[in-house]
Amino acid sequence: MRAFRDLRITHKLMIIMMLTSSVAVLIMAIAMVINQAVKESRTIANQLETLAQIIGSRSTGALAFDDQRTAEENLHALSAKSIIVYAVIHKANGRIFAEYRTSKAWPDPVSFWVFANEIEVAKDIVLDGERVGRIRIVKLVAESHGGQVQARDLEAKEGVIFTVILPTL
Amino acid sequence: MRPRRSQSVFLLALIASALAPPRLVHDGAQTIEEDTLKAVYTYQLGKFTEWPAAKLISSEANLNFCILGKNPFGSSALDAIKNKRVQGRPLRIEIYPSGLLPNEAIATCHILFISESEKSRLRSILAQLRDSPVLTVSDIDNFAAQGGMIALVKLQEQVRFEINSMALRQSGLAVSSKLLELAKLVPDPRPGAPR
């Protein structure tokens, strides 16, 4: 603090201005990352909702005629998306009708600062205007590649932002 | 020698179980009476069927569930489908006596459940209905293979379907692929029927 006091007024002003602008850029960067994370979560949730809608609609026959095997086959189509870890179809009375769990290793929770490590959507399954069941799909935000848990696009975006910020400080 | 009490109880239980209506596994472990399940499934088939527009216009606002022959559905089975709607239309149940279906019924029925009692007349009933947009359903053996549209088949304590898609197509009806994927498809045996 004494060193700062002994500085010339022009240097003091320069340091204060630099600190102020750095803090402003940092806040802006954090806001951008948060905004990106929120957008990313919304996009993933929208994609999951569409998927839930498609699989739910395909399963109306299975629900109406109590064909558990077909419902399980429909859910199994989700195995093409490695990041979907769990999906379930409930009957209208709440009973579990068909379930899918990924056979791949479930990645450990990531201590990444995204708001949630997993995203879950649930949608009613409607047949001819009548609710016949409900589908729930759970997807991880992080994806497992060869045993390594990697935060996806978001981490890359964060890296880009901080690469841009650091030289300005 | 008088039968012992335990023997009598066993005998009574045996008679009661023989007289009780058959039950099928439904909704997991829950069981349901076979006739109720068949009635519910038959009505639900209507949700997966598309009738020609002319058929829907000609029969006012109801969707008519007709039963031909001895009514196989008990009161609880009929109660289970009472007040239901199919494609936004209230379901109306009509029962016709054994024999051929009256002409006016061919015009108004959307779903026709042909009772086991009509087994001997099945060929003439199906010939009468040929090319009419009436969804024929039955639990008579080999119903779909004899030219009927949808057969209800008991398989491992569950009711499954056999569908004669050619018979459906010839009558101008279409069923959803969601129903087709649950069913076993059987070829139409009638002479001249395309394969």
Side-chain angles (χ1 to χ4, degrees), chain A residues 57-71 73-74 91 93 95 97 127-128 130 132, chain B residues 25-28 30 40-41 43-45 47-48 84-88 158-161 178-179 181-182:
Chain A
S57 167
R58 270 187 64 88
S59 305
T60 49
L63 277 163
F65 301 111
D66 208 33
D67 193 329
Q68 211 165 339
R69 190 181 55 83
T70 305
E73 279 172 10
N74 289 343
K91 292 209 88 173
N93 60 12
R95 190 182 70 78
F97 183 60
L127 168 64
D128 198 19
E130 192 183 338
V132 290
Chain B
V25 177
H26 172 71
D27 205 9
Q30 211 184 350
V40 170
Y41 279 9
Y43 124 77
Q44 298 217 107
L45 287 171
K47 297 184 173 189
F48 295 88
K84 293 283 183 183
R85 295 180 85 87
V86 176
Q87 299 183 17
Q158 287 193 312
V159 172
R160 291 287 165 255
F161 311 109
K178 294 170 196 167
L179 178 61
E181 74 173 359
L182 307 177

Coordinates of all heavy atoms in Angstrom, one line a residue, chain A residues 57-71 73-74 91 93 95 97 127-128 130 132, chain B residues 25-28 30 40-41 43-45 47-48 84-88 158-161 178-179 181-182:
Chain A
S57 N -44.6 -40.5 -28.5 CA -45.6 -40.7 -29.5 C -45.5 -42.1 -30.1 O -46.6 -42.7 -30.4 CB -45.5 -39.6 -30.6 OG -46.2 -39.9 -31.8
R58 N -44.3 -42.5 -30.3 CA -44.1 -43.9 -30.9 C -44.6 -45.0 -29.9 O -44.9 -46.1 -30.3 CB -42.7 -44.1 -31.2 CG -42.2 -43.7 -32.6 CD -40.8 -44.2 -32.8 NE -40.7 -45.7 -32.7 CZ -40.8 -46.4 -33.7 NH1 -41.1 -45.9 -34.9 NH2 -40.7 -47.8 -33.6
S59 N -44.7 -44.6 -28.6 CA -45.0 -45.6 -27.6 C -46.5 -45.6 -27.2 O -46.9 -46.3 -26.3 CB -44.1 -45.4 -26.4 OG -42.8 -45.4 -26.7
T60 N -47.3 -44.8 -27.9 CA -48.7 -44.8 -27.5 C -49.4 -46.1 -27.7 O -50.2 -46.6 -26.8 CB -49.5 -43.7 -28.3 OG1 -49.2 -43.9 -29.7 CG2 -49.2 -42.3 -27.9
G61 N -49.0 -46.8 -28.8 CA -49.6 -48.2 -29.0 C -49.2 -49.1 -28.0 O -50.0 -49.9 -27.4
A62 N -47.9 -49.1 -27.6 CA -47.4 -50.0 -26.6 C -48.1 -49.8 -25.3 O -48.4 -50.7 -24.6 CB -45.9 -49.8 -26.5
L63 N -48.3 -48.5 -24.9 CA -49.0 -48.2 -23.7 C -50.5 -48.6 -23.7 O -51.0 -49.2 -22.8 CB -48.9 -46.7 -23.4 CG -47.6 -46.2 -22.8 CD1 -47.5 -44.7 -22.9 CD2 -47.6 -46.5 -21.3
A64 N -51.1 -48.3 -24.9 CA -52.6 -48.6 -25.0 C -52.8 -50.1 -24.9 O -53.8 -50.6 -24.3 CB -53.1 -48.1 -26.3
F65 N -51.9 -50.9 -25.4 CA -52.1 -52.4 -25.5 C -51.1 -53.1 -24.6 O -50.8 -54.3 -24.8 CB -52.0 -52.9 -26.9 CG -53.1 -52.2 -27.8 CD1 -52.7 -51.3 -28.8 CD2 -54.4 -52.4 -27.6 CE1 -53.6 -50.7 -29.6 CE2 -55.4 -51.8 -28.4 CZ -55.0 -50.9 -29.4
D66 N -50.5 -52.4 -23.6 CA -49.7 -53.0 -22.6 C -48.6 -53.9 -23.2 O -48.3 -55.0 -22.7 CB -50.6 -53.9 -21.7 CG -50.1 -54.0 -20.3 OD1 -49.5 -53.0 -19.8 OD2 -50.2 -55.1 -19.7
D67 N -47.9 -53.4 -24.2 CA -46.8 -54.1 -24.8 C -45.5 -53.5 -24.3 O -44.9 -52.6 -24.9 CB -46.9 -54.0 -26.3 CG -46.0 -55.0 -27.0 OD1 -44.9 -55.3 -26.5 OD2 -46.3 -55.5 -28.1
Q68 N -45.0 -54.0 -23.2 CA -43.8 -53.5 -22.6 C -42.6 -53.7 -23.4 O -41.7 -52.8 -23.5 CB -43.6 -54.3 -21.3 CG -43.0 -53.5 -20.2 CD -43.1 -54.2 -18.8 OE1 -44.0 -55.0 -18.7 NE2 -42.3 -53.9 -17.9
R69 N -42.5 -54.8 -24.1 CA -41.3 -55.1 -25.0 C -41.1 -54.0 -26.0 O -40.0 -53.5 -26.2 CB -41.4 -56.5 -25.6 CG -40.2 -57.0 -26.3 CD -40.4 -58.3 -26.9 NE -41.6 -58.3 -27.9 CZ -41.5 -57.9 -29.1 NH1 -40.3 -57.5 -29.6 NH2 -42.5 -57.9 -29.9
T70 N -42.2 -53.6 -26.7 CA -42.1 -52.6 -27.7 C -41.7 -51.2 -27.1 O -40.8 -50.5 -27.7 CB -43.4 -52.5 -28.5 OG1 -43.7 -53.7 -29.0 CG2 -43.3 -51.5 -29.7
A71 N -42.2 -50.9 -26.0 CA -41.9 -49.7 -25.3 C -40.4 -49.7 -25.0 O -39.7 -48.6 -25.1 CB -42.7 -49.5 -24.0
E73 N -38.0 -51.3 -26.5 CA -37.3 -51.2 -27.8 C -37.3 -49.7 -28.2 O -36.2 -49.2 -28.7 CB -38.0 -52.0 -28.9 CG -37.6 -53.5 -28.8 CD -38.4 -54.4 -29.7 OE1 -39.1 -53.8 -30.6 OE2 -38.3 -55.6 -29.6
N74 N -38.4 -49.0 -28.0 CA -38.4 -47.6 -28.4 C -37.4 -46.8 -27.6 O -36.7 -46.0 -28.1 CB -39.8 -47.1 -28.2 CG -40.8 -47.6 -29.2 OD1 -40.4 -48.1 -30.3 ND2 -42.1 -47.5 -28.9
K91 N -46.8 -45.4 -16.8 CA -48.2 -45.4 -17.2 C -48.9 -44.3 -16.6 O -48.4 -43.6 -15.7 CB -48.8 -46.8 -16.8 CG -48.2 -47.9 -17.5 CD -49.2 -49.1 -17.7 CE -50.0 -48.9 -19.0 NZ -50.9 -50.0 -19.3
N93 N -51.1 -44.3 -14.4 CA -51.2 -44.4 -12.9 C -49.9 -44.3 -12.2 O -49.8 -44.4 -11.0 CB -51.8 -45.8 -12.6 CG -51.0 -47.0 -13.1 OD1 -49.9 -46.8 -13.5 ND2 -51.6 -48.1 -13.1
R95 N -47.1 -46.1 -12.6 CA -46.3 -47.3 -12.5 C -45.2 -47.2 -13.6 O -45.5 -46.8 -14.7 CB -47.2 -48.5 -12.7 CG -46.5 -49.8 -12.5 CD -47.4 -51.0 -12.7 NE -47.7 -51.2 -14.1 CZ -46.9 -51.8 -15.0 NH1 -45.7 -52.2 -14.6 NH2 -47.3 -51.9 -16.3
F97 N -43.4 -48.4 -16.6 CA -43.8 -49.3 -17.7 C -42.6 -49.9 -18.5 O -42.5 -51.1 -18.8 CB -44.7 -48.6 -18.6 CG -45.3 -49.4 -19.8 CD1 -46.1 -50.5 -19.5 CD2 -45.1 -49.1 -21.1 CE1 -46.6 -51.3 -20.5 CE2 -45.6 -49.8 -22.1 CZ -46.3 -50.9 -21.9
L127 N -52.7 -39.8 -26.0 CA -53.3 -40.6 -27.1 C -54.8 -40.2 -27.3 O -55.6 -40.3 -26.3 CB -53.2 -42.1 -26.9 CG -54.0 -43.0 -27.8 CD1 -53.5 -42.9 -29.2 CD2 -54.0 -44.5 -27.3
D128 N -55.1 -39.7 -28.4 CA -56.5 -39.3 -28.7 C -57.1 -38.3 -27.6 O -58.2 -38.5 -27.1 CB -57.3 -40.5 -28.9 CG -58.7 -40.3 -29.6 OD1 -58.8 -39.3 -30.3 OD2 -59.6 -41.1 -29.4
E130 N -56.2 -38.1 -24.6 CA -56.2 -38.7 -23.2 C -54.8 -39.0 -22.8 O -54.0 -39.6 -23.6 CB -57.0 -40.0 -23.3 CG -57.3 -40.6 -21.9 CD -58.0 -42.0 -22.0 OE1 -58.6 -42.2 -23.1 OE2 -58.0 -42.7 -21.1
V132 N -52.0 -41.0 -21.5 CA -51.8 -42.4 -21.2 C -50.5 -42.8 -20.5 O -50.3 -43.9 -20.1 CB -51.9 -43.2 -22.6 CG1 -53.3 -43.2 -23.1 CG2 -50.9 -42.7 -23.6
Chain B
V25 N -53.0 -61.2 -17.5 CA -52.1 -60.3 -16.9 C -52.2 -59.0 -17.7 O -52.2 -59.0 -18.9 CB -50.6 -60.8 -17.0 CG1 -49.7 -59.8 -16.4 CG2 -50.5 -62.1 -16.2
H26 N -52.3 -57.9 -16.9 CA -52.4 -56.6 -17.6 C -51.7 -55.6 -16.7 O -51.8 -55.7 -15.5 CB -53.9 -56.2 -17.8 CG -54.1 -54.8 -18.2 ND1 -53.8 -54.4 -19.5 CD2 -54.6 -53.7 -17.6 CE1 -54.1 -53.1 -19.6 NE2 -54.5 -52.7 -18.5
D27 N -51.1 -54.6 -17.2 CA -50.5 -53.5 -16.5 C -49.5 -54.1 -15.4 O -49.6 -53.9 -14.2 CB -51.6 -52.8 -15.7 CG -51.1 -51.3 -15.4 OD1 -50.1 -51.0 -15.9 OD2 -51.9 -50.6 -14.7
G28 N -48.6 -54.9 -15.9 CA -47.6 -55.5 -15.0 C -48.2 -56.8 -14.4 O -48.5 -57.7 -15.1
Q30 N -50.9 -56.8 -12.4 CA -52.3 -56.8 -12.2 C -53.1 -57.7 -13.1 O -52.6 -57.8 -14.3 CB -52.7 -55.3 -12.4 CG -53.9 -54.9 -11.6 CD -54.3 -53.5 -12.0 OE1 -53.7 -52.8 -12.7 NE2 -55.4 -53.1 -11.5
V40 N -61.8 -53.4 -24.0 CA -61.0 -52.2 -23.9 C -60.1 -52.1 -25.1 O -60.0 -51.1 -25.8 CB -60.2 -52.1 -22.6 CG1 -59.2 -51.0 -22.6 CG2 -61.2 -51.9 -21.4
Y41 N -59.4 -53.2 -25.5 CA -58.5 -53.3 -26.6 C -59.3 -53.0 -27.9 O -58.8 -52.3 -28.8 CB -57.8 -54.6 -26.7 CG -56.6 -54.7 -25.8 CD1 -56.4 -53.8 -24.8 CD2 -55.7 -55.8 -25.9 CE1 -55.3 -53.9 -23.9 CE2 -54.6 -55.9 -25.0 CZ -54.4 -55.0 -24.0 OH -53.3 -55.1 -23.2
Y43 N -62.0 -51.3 -28.3 CA -62.4 -49.9 -28.4 C -61.1 -49.1 -28.7 O -61.2 -48.1 -29.5 CB -63.1 -49.4 -27.1 CG -62.5 -48.3 -26.4 CD1 -62.7 -47.0 -26.9 CD2 -61.8 -48.5 -25.2 CE1 -62.1 -45.9 -26.2 CE2 -61.2 -47.4 -24.6 CZ -61.4 -46.1 -25.0 OH -60.8 -45.1 -24.4
Q44 N -60.0 -49.4 -28.1 CA -58.8 -48.7 -28.3 C -58.3 -48.8 -29.8 O -57.6 -47.9 -30.3 CB -57.7 -49.1 -27.3 CG -58.1 -48.8 -25.9 CD -57.0 -48.3 -25.1 OE1 -56.9 -47.2 -24.7 NE2 -56.1 -49.2 -24.7
L45 N -58.6 -49.9 -30.4 CA -58.2 -50.1 -31.8 C -58.7 -48.9 -32.7 O -58.1 -48.5 -33.7 CB -58.7 -51.4 -32.4 CG -58.0 -52.7 -31.8 CD1 -58.8 -53.9 -32.3 CD2 -56.6 -52.8 -32.3
K47 N -58.8 -45.9 -32.0 CA -57.9 -44.8 -31.9 C -56.7 -44.8 -32.8 O -56.0 -43.9 -33.1 CB -57.3 -44.7 -30.4 CG -58.4 -44.4 -29.4 CD -57.8 -44.2 -28.0 CE -58.9 -43.9 -27.0 NZ -58.4 -43.4 -25.8
F48 N -56.5 -46.0 -33.4 CA -55.4 -46.2 -34.3 C -55.9 -46.5 -35.7 O -55.1 -46.9 -36.5 CB -54.5 -47.4 -33.8 CG -53.8 -47.1 -32.5 CD1 -54.4 -47.4 -31.3 CD2 -52.6 -46.5 -32.4 CE1 -53.8 -47.1 -30.1 CE2 -52.0 -46.2 -31.2 CZ -52.6 -46.5 -30.0
K84 N -66.8 -43.6 -23.2 CA -65.4 -43.3 -23.7 C -65.6 -42.6 -25.1 O -66.7 -42.6 -25.7 CB -64.7 -44.6 -24.0 CG -64.3 -45.4 -22.7 CD -63.1 -44.7 -22.0 CE -62.7 -45.5 -20.8 NZ -61.6 -44.8 -20.1
R85 N -64.5 -42.0 -25.5 CA -64.6 -41.2 -26.8 C -63.5 -41.8 -27.7 O -62.4 -42.2 -27.2 CB -64.3 -39.7 -26.5 CG -65.5 -39.1 -25.8 CD -65.2 -37.6 -25.6 NE -65.6 -36.8 -26.7 CZ -66.8 -36.3 -26.9 NH1 -67.7 -36.5 -26.0 NH2 -67.1 -35.6 -27.9
V86 N -63.7 -41.8 -28.9 CA -62.7 -42.3 -29.9 C -62.7 -41.2 -31.0 O -63.7 -40.8 -31.6 CB -63.1 -43.6 -30.5 CG1 -62.1 -44.0 -31.6 CG2 -63.1 -44.7 -29.5
Q87 N -61.5 -40.6 -31.2 CA -61.3 -39.6 -32.1 C -62.3 -38.4 -32.0 O -62.8 -37.9 -32.9 CB -61.3 -40.1 -33.6 CG -60.2 -41.2 -33.8 CD -60.2 -41.7 -35.2 OE1 -60.7 -41.1 -36.1 NE2 -59.5 -42.9 -35.4
G88 N -62.5 -38.1 -30.7 CA -63.4 -37.0 -30.3 C -64.9 -37.4 -30.4 O -65.7 -36.5 -30.1
Q158 N -51.5 -62.8 -22.2 CA -51.7 -61.5 -22.7 C -52.5 -61.5 -24.0 O -52.5 -62.6 -24.7 CB -50.4 -60.7 -22.9 CG -49.7 -60.4 -21.6 CD -48.6 -59.4 -21.8 OE1 -47.8 -59.6 -22.7 NE2 -48.5 -58.4 -21.0
V159 N -53.1 -60.4 -24.4 CA -53.9 -60.4 -25.6 C -53.0 -59.7 -26.6 O -52.5 -58.6 -26.4 CB -55.2 -59.7 -25.4 CG1 -55.9 -59.5 -26.8 CG2 -56.1 -60.5 -24.5
R160 N -52.8 -60.3 -27.8 CA -52.0 -59.7 -28.9 C -52.8 -59.7 -30.1 O -53.9 -60.3 -30.2 CB -50.7 -60.5 -29.0 CG -49.7 -60.3 -27.9 CD -49.1 -58.9 -27.9 NE -48.5 -58.5 -26.7 CZ -49.0 -57.7 -25.8 NH1 -50.2 -57.1 -26.0 NH2 -48.3 -57.3 -24.7
F161 N -52.3 -59.1 -31.2 CA -53.1 -59.0 -32.4 C -52.5 -59.7 -33.6 O -51.3 -59.8 -33.7 CB -53.2 -57.5 -32.8 CG -53.6 -56.6 -31.7 CD1 -52.7 -55.8 -31.1 CD2 -54.9 -56.6 -31.2 CE1 -53.0 -54.9 -30.1 CE2 -55.2 -55.8 -30.2 CZ -54.3 -55.0 -29.6
K178 N -48.1 -47.6 -35.5 CA -47.9 -47.9 -34.1 C -48.6 -49.1 -33.7 O -48.2 -49.8 -32.8 CB -48.4 -46.7 -33.2 CG -47.6 -45.4 -33.4 CD -48.3 -44.3 -32.7 CE -47.8 -43.0 -33.2 NZ -48.7 -41.9 -32.8
L179 N -49.7 -49.4 -34.4 CA -50.5 -50.6 -34.1 C -49.8 -51.8 -34.9 O -49.7 -52.9 -34.3 CB -51.9 -50.5 -34.5 CG -52.9 -51.7 -34.3 CD1 -52.9 -52.1 -32.9 CD2 -54.2 -51.4 -34.9
E181 N -46.8 -52.3 -35.6 CA -45.6 -52.8 -35.0 C -45.8 -53.7 -33.8 O -44.9 -54.4 -33.4 CB -44.6 -51.7 -34.7 CG -45.0 -50.8 -33.5 CD -43.9 -49.8 -33.1 OE1 -42.9 -49.8 -33.7 OE2 -44.2 -49.1 -32.1
L182 N -47.0 -53.7 -33.3 CA -47.4 -54.6 -32.1 C -48.0 -55.9 -32.6 O -48.1 -56.8 -31.8 CB -48.4 -53.9 -31.2 CG -48.1 -52.5 -30.7 CD1 -49.2 -52.0 -29.9 CD2 -46.8 -52.5 -29.9

